[in-house]
Amino acid sequence: MKDPSIAFLLPSFVNQKSAQRMQFLDGLNEAVSRPSIVLLDSNEAEEGRWDNLILVRFSHMRFFGESFRLGLSAALNLGADKIVTFESYSAVNAKWFIDYLNGGNLIETGKRNFREMLVTEVSNLLSFGNSYNNFSFNRILTKEAALLLRDTKLNGKSFLVESINILNAHGIRTTEIIKEEYGRDNKRIDLAEMVESIIRSFNKTSINYSLISSLSYLVNLMMVYTSLSLGFFYPLAVLLGGEISGLSNFIVNEKLNFRNKGFLSSAYRFGKFNAFILAVVAFDIFVISVISKYLLAFGRTDFSIISTFSIVVVSAISLFFTNKIIWGKGNHQRVFL
């Protein structure tokens, strides 16, 4: 290790058995090449056995998030420019960071279980993120990231999800190293943690996006039904409604919600956005034309119900893909090893 301003943060370290704490600190002592600050919430009777570790104790807190934020503040007060945290305090995991210290903000993750996958993907959709696994705590944080995260209010696994979303929302880049073999504890999240994590994925941008999308959806319905009442051919009515609502949606989101600047970059995104809208409209027209062949005998009312249902389904699919392809932020880089 070449950077003396790196601190190792061990929240809830006191909860580990004494033998495990000793083995972890032994491994950490071997991993570093010069005296380094280790912040932990436990007293170690054999402090003199680690030549390369300067142990700094901070108060143990009841909740994990509180302990983390307290340790984070202590590390920043000691002048740390990078802060390393650990997914588990096993001897094997004590050296995970060695190959990554020259990078910026970094997360090392492994294969997700079903619950982690579900929460991560829904959180990505709501926060316009791009993470693979929100729940790993093998992390390297820069000072810029640490200053933001010490002011969060959450605890437990929900805190881990929100921390990625906060960095992403502030344009702070993160690299996620996804490893095939990953020695970490197989922790499971309960339903309450899943729900809290997903709810906390909503931010100001996503709330504004939901409102704008809802208004665009109403514009689409109004234009389609107005065009049909004026005698427009159905495909033309759907095309007109899709283009007008899509254009208004793009302009408001691009310039007011996401506040993207630059004509060329906006034009490029609009090209992708419009191509996708046209594809969605074409799919909608195809579905309605197929369904209407078999339901014309039931009258205009049933056709209108099916048409409305089709627009709702297509809008939901459109929401998912536009979040991913058009508006998703590129601050979180994923690397598979």
Side-chain angles (χ1 to χ4, degrees), residues 58-110:
F58 61 92
S59 299
H60 173 68
M61 307 298 287
R62 179 182 177 186
F63 296 109
F64 175 83
E66 293 177 349
S67 293
F68 174 78
R69 290 192 298 273
L70 187 60
L72 205 62
S73 295
L76 291 170
N77 290 337
L78 291 171
D81 290 326
K82 288 185 180 179
I83 300 169
V84 180
T85 60
F86 300 84
E87 171 68 18
S88 72
Y89 298 128
S90 64
V92 174
N93 200 49
K95 304 177 182 180
W96 80 265
F97 58 89
I98 292 176
D99 295 330
Y100 309 124
L101 282 179
N102 291 329
N105 295 295
L106 186 139
I107 303 172
E108 183 187 64
T109 68

Side-chain angles (χ1 to χ4, degrees), residues 130-150:
N130 185 39
S131 63
Y132 174 81
N133 189 345
N134 279 318
F135 295 98
S136 174
F137 207 53
N138 272 353
R139 302 188 180 191
I140 297 175
L141 303 172
T142 62
K143 184 176 181 179
E144 180 186 25
L147 287 168
L148 281 172
L149 297 184
R150 73 174 180 182

Side-chain angles (χ1 to χ4, degrees), residues 13-296:
F13 197 61
V14 70
N15 294 336
Q16 312 302 312
K17 293 181 179 179
S18 178
Q20 184 176 354
R21 295 201 302 267
M22 297 299 112
Q23 291 173 1
F24 180 83
L25 292 174
D26 286 342
L28 189 58
N29 187 62
E30 294 177 6
V32 298
S33 59
R34 65 176 66 187
S36 305
I37 294 173
V38 179
L39 296 116
L40 66 172
D41 56 0
S42 66
N43 287 320
E44 304 306 328
E46 304 180 49
E47 291 190 20
R49 68 186 277 179
W50 300 292
D51 297 333
N52 289 328
L53 304 183
I54 302 172
L55 303 186
V56 178
R57 188 180 186 275
F58 61 92
S59 299
H60 173 68
M61 307 298 287
R62 179 182 177 186
F63 296 109
F64 175 83
E66 293 177 349
S67 293
F68 174 78
R69 290 192 298 273
L70 187 60
L72 205 62
S73 295
L76 291 170
N77 290 337
L78 291 171
D81 290 326
K82 288 185 180 179
I83 300 169
V84 180
T85 60
F86 300 84
E87 171 68 18
S88 72
Y89 298 128
S90 64
V92 174
N93 200 49
K95 304 177 182 180
W96 80 265
F97 58 89
I98 292 176
D99 295 330
Y100 309 124
L101 282 179
N102 291 329
N105 295 295
L106 186 139
I107 303 172
E108 183 187 64
T109 68
K111 186 177 180 180
R112 303 172 293 184
N113 59 44
F114 175 77
R115 292 187 179 188
E116 289 177 342
M117 178 275 295
L118 179 62
V119 173
T120 299
E121 292 302 329
V122 175
S123 297
N124 284 340
L125 179 65
L126 297 177
S127 65
F128 307 94
N130 185 39
S131 63
Y132 174 81
N133 189 345
N134 279 318
F135 295 98
S136 174
F137 207 53
N138 272 353
R139 302 188 180 191
I140 297 175
L141 303 172
T142 62
K143 184 176 181 179
E144 180 186 25
L147 287 168
L148 281 172
L149 297 184
R150 73 174 180 182
D151 297 325
T152 56
K153 303 300 182 184
L154 293 184
N155 293 291
K157 299 179 180 66
S158 296
F159 165 79
L160 299 181
V161 175
E162 192 195 29
S163 64
I164 295 179
N165 294 337
I166 288 173
L167 299 184
N168 192 52
H170 285 82
I172 298 178
R173 298 188 64 84
T174 306
T175 299
E176 184 176 10
I177 307 296
I178 303 161
K179 303 182 70 173
E180 188 71 22
E181 298 294 334
Y182 184 64
R184 71 179 181 89
D185 297 336
N186 187 23
K187 300 176 181 176
R188 294 188 61 82
I189 52 175
D190 58 34
L191 182 60
E193 290 171 329
M194 293 175 66
V195 172
E196 184 181 15
S197 297
I198 290 172
I199 291 175
R200 290 292 182 173
S201 296
F202 272 104
N203 52 40
K204 182 179 179 181
T205 299
S206 55
I207 292 173
N208 289 340
Y209 183 85
S210 299
L211 293 174
I212 294 167
S213 296
S214 298
L215 291 174
S216 298
Y217 169 70
L218 294 177
V219 170
N220 190 6
L221 282 180
M222 182 181 67
M223 290 303 304
V224 169
Y225 287 114
T226 299
S227 300
L228 289 174
S229 65
L230 294 175
F232 281 44
F233 187 49
Y234 181 79
L236 181 60
V238 173
L239 177 62
L240 183 62
E243 280 292 304
I244 292 177
S245 64
L247 178 62
S248 60
N249 182 299
F250 179 84
I251 292 174
V252 177
N253 270 311
E254 177 76 359
K255 297 305 180 184
L256 298 182
N257 191 22
F258 295 100
R259 298 183 181 182
N260 292 322
K261 298 179 180 180
F263 175 79
L264 292 179
S265 60
S266 293
Y268 174 68
R269 270 190 294 274
F270 178 71
K272 291 196 299 181
F273 182 83
N274 199 49
F276 181 75
I277 290 295
L278 291 175
V280 170
V281 168
F283 177 76
D284 189 26
I285 292 172
F286 171 76
V287 170
I288 289 297
S289 63
V290 171
I291 294 176
S292 63
K293 287 184 179 180
Y294 301 97
L295 292 176
L296 285 176

